[in-house]
Amino acid sequence: MFENTEKQERALLLSLDTGEYDAETSLAELGELTRTAGAEPAFTLLQKRPAPDAATCLGSGMAEEAAELVKREELDLVVFDRELSPTQIRNLEKLCGVRVIDRTTLILDIFAQRAASKEGKLQVELAQLRYLLPRLSGQGASMSRLGGGIGTRGPGETKLETDRRHIRRRIDSLKEQLRDVEAARGVIEKRRRKNGTVTVALVGYTNAGKSTLMNRLTQAGVLAEDKLFATLDPTARALKLPSGKTVMLIDTVGLIRRLPHHLVEAFKSTLEQAAAADILLNICDASSPEAGEHLRVTEELLQSLRKGNQEDFSRPVIPVLNKWDAVEEPEFALRIPGAVRISALHGEGIDELLKAIEENLPEKTFDVELLLPFSKSGLAAKLREEGAVLSEEYVAEGLRLTARVGDRLYAAVREFDIDPQRNSSQ
């Protein structure tokens, strides 16, 4: 058996606190991202300034201090906790003598490692190229992609030295391929809705335990690691509720503060699929002091995805406080209305969660047998579009069919129900 002798990169993490957000919390999160990418966050430096410096983002004194630390400790990498311009990257690399990457590049690198499906790989490459296109001119060591290391991986790595025109053509090709994938998924989603299949999406901050919960509920065998973005590609599995009703459970990519907009755009269709589910489980790590903030970050992104969509997005959202067995101050839950407390790892609270799902199920569907006069052919089209036609047969009196409908759709066709008893009871 061959051993992996690749040396783990040691990184210096840099942060600039301008008061826009909690810089210390974000820097701690950057450390987790760095570990997830495969490097060791060896040192951190944080500077408070009213605004970023145009040349190096940090002030000149702090930039020199960072360069000395890199050389003295023989570090391999500098990771900056904000998006840098090509000029800032080039200047910092010249000072430090090692590769410099920003938060966006780091997250893109993690996504490149995690993408497994065709759609996931297409989405990651599209995000990488969109981010790199305006940055191709004048980049320093980061343009040398043959050396490997964090920030150099991904489907697009061999294309980064090519000209802008070629990259634009590649972006157009990726968009077209993604449209095909999205169209195929749209057909499946439409079929689910016509068949009355209810979808329940697991959404939430990365590393909140969504995949562990998915495995607990459905034995799906989804990768569940104590790492950020352990799940990138959506997974769908059937879940049978205690009442006997079966719903489709969807596990989605985890979210994070300041998720790069290139990724949000590339993964928009996947995230919109989750936002459009009939029920959303907003899962957070209840043992984290940032749990409330994590719930808010997820809700804000879901709201942004709903804007401008013509559908009714008043879907029920159930806050799920996972890892409850590790919570030191249980009164935390009292401040979150409707929250369900669980431990996906140990199975605690799962019955309460299933009950909450059942209580929030959308309009119930049922099968009816109808006889539509030939003059009412428009109703048959409405049944095909909004319900599910299970069988149909032309007879002398008109069209006899069996359809799966909800209460609202049934109200439009009830006078043609062959079963007089149901007609009078509805």
Side-chain angles (χ1 to χ4, degrees):
M1 180 181 291
F2 294 100
E3 291 185 9
N4 184 5
T5 57
E6 186 178 340
K7 177 178 171 282
Q8 186 182 37
E9 292 179 288
R10 297 171 69 240
L12 167 63
L13 311 187
L14 297 180
S15 176
L16 184 69
D17 184 1
T18 59
E20 300 170 69
Y21 49 83
D22 187 333
E24 290 188 3
T25 299
S26 185
L27 187 58
E29 191 171 80
L30 187 73
E32 288 301 311
L33 288 167
T34 303
R35 288 188 191 91
T36 298
E40 176 195 347
F43 296 92
T44 61
L45 288 176
L46 185 150
Q47 183 182 37
K48 289 190 176 184
R49 276 176 64 93
D53 180 79
T56 57
C57 197
L58 298 170
S60 57
M62 179 62 78
E64 290 287 352
E65 184 181 336
E68 290 172 10
L69 182 59
V70 167
K71 290 164 186 172
R72 185 175 68 248
E73 299 295 334
E74 298 182 348
L75 302 179
D76 309 292
L77 179 70
V78 172
V79 186
F80 215 115
D81 193 28
R82 66 168 53 220
E83 199 165 291
L84 299 176
S85 70
T87 299
Q88 289 168 336
I89 291 175
R90 184 172 66 250
N91 290 338
L92 284 170
E93 285 182 338
K94 189 175 179 181
L95 266 175
C96 298
V98 297
R99 273 181 306 112
V100 175
I101 65 173
D102 59 16
R103 181 184 177 91
T104 299
T105 302
L106 179 64
I107 295 174
L108 286 170
D109 186 88
I110 295 169
F111 271 58
Q113 294 181 53
R114 300 287 179 177
S117 70
K118 178 184 176 182
E119 183 178 17
K121 290 175 181 178
L122 290 172
Q123 288 168 321
V124 170
E125 184 177 359
L126 178 60
Q128 287 180 319
L129 294 182
R130 276 176 165 168
Y131 177 66
L132 285 160
L133 182 59
R135 298 165 177 269
L136 289 178
S137 61
Q139 286 195 2
S142 60
M143 277 300 294
S144 178
R145 297 283 161 179
L146 300 179
I150 292 173
T152 67
R153 280 180 283 252
E157 64 188 4
T158 61
K159 304 176 183 66
L160 302 186
E161 284 97 349
T162 62
D163 58 45
R164 284 187 173 84
R165 187 168 51 187
H166 178 80
I167 290 181
R168 287 195 183 100
R169 283 200 301 267
R170 179 61 182 162
I171 286 174
D172 290 340
S173 171
L174 290 169
K175 286 180 178 177
E176 188 174 342
Q177 292 179 66
L178 276 171
R179 277 194 292 269
D180 292 341
V181 173
E182 289 161 16
R185 190 176 61 231
V187 170
I188 296 172
E189 184 63 24
K190 192 171 183 180
R191 189 181 304 133
R192 279 181 189 166
R193 295 205 176 277
K194 283 176 69 71
N195 291 336
T197 304
V198 174
T199 53
V200 179
L202 306 179
V203 297
Y205 215 73
T206 185
N207 208 28
K210 294 185 299 299
S211 297
T212 302
L213 179 58
M214 182 83 164
N215 291 335
R216 168 67 61 180
L217 294 173
T218 68
Q219 291 77 52
V222 179
L223 172 68
E225 290 186 283
D226 186 20
K227 287 185 177 180
L228 305 186
F229 302 117
T231 301
L232 180 55
D233 299 303
T235 304
R237 292 289 186 274
L239 167 64
K240 192 168 185 177
L241 299 172
S243 64
K245 171 82 174 178
T246 298
V247 299
M248 187 65 65
L249 195 65
I250 303 171
D251 188 14
T252 60
V253 60
L255 308 178
I256 197 169
R257 280 185 197 84
R258 297 155 56 219
L259 190 65
H261 71 272
H262 304 281
L263 275 176
V264 174
E265 282 299 310
F267 282 77
K268 195 170 185 179
S269 63
T270 304
L271 293 168
E272 282 178 342
Q273 181 190 17
D278 296 293
I279 300 172
L280 293 104
L281 305 183
N282 186 355
I283 301 164
C284 75
D285 176 359
S287 66
S288 167
E290 297 288 313
E293 175 71 5
H294 293 176
L295 289 172
R296 186 191 61 78
V297 167
T298 302
E299 183 58 33
E300 281 186 357
L301 182 58
L302 291 173
Q303 292 291 350
S304 70
L305 291 168
R306 294 167 184 171
K307 284 179 183 175
N309 198 305
Q310 299 303 309
E311 278 195 66
D312 172 22
F313 271 119
S314 57
R315 320 287 190 193
V317 179
I318 304 172
V320 180
L321 307 182
N322 190 26
K323 308 184 186 181
W324 188 252
D325 52 315
V327 171
E328 295 179 359
E329 298 179 6
E331 64 271 16
F332 165 72
L334 299 176
R335 301 199 298 271
I336 302 178
V340 180
R341 294 163 285 183
I342 70 165
S343 169
L345 185 63
H346 301 294
E348 298 167 10
I350 297 300
D351 291 342
E352 288 79 2
L353 178 60
L354 295 175
K355 181 181 177 184
I357 293 173
E358 290 199 317
E359 288 173 349
N360 284 278
L361 288 174
E363 179 184 45
K364 293 178 172 58
T365 59
F366 50 92
D367 295 350
V368 295
E369 194 173 1
L370 306 169
L371 180 58
L372 299 178
F374 290 114
S375 61
K376 297 293 183 179
S377 58
L379 285 177
K382 186 179 180 70
L383 287 165
R384 293 188 187 97
E385 180 65 26
E386 300 179 22
V389 174
L390 306 178
S391 67
E392 54 185 301
E393 177 189 6
Y394 284 99
V395 295
E397 298 86 352
L399 179 60
R400 187 178 183 125
L401 53 79
T402 303
R404 183 164 295 148
V405 299
D407 289 332
R408 282 179 292 180
L409 186 54
Y410 179 71
V413 297
R414 66 184 300 170
E415 63 182 291
F416 306 109
D417 190 347
I418 292 173
D419 183 350
Q421 185 175 358
R422 178 174 48 240
N423 201 327
S424 61
S425 64
Q426 289 288 331

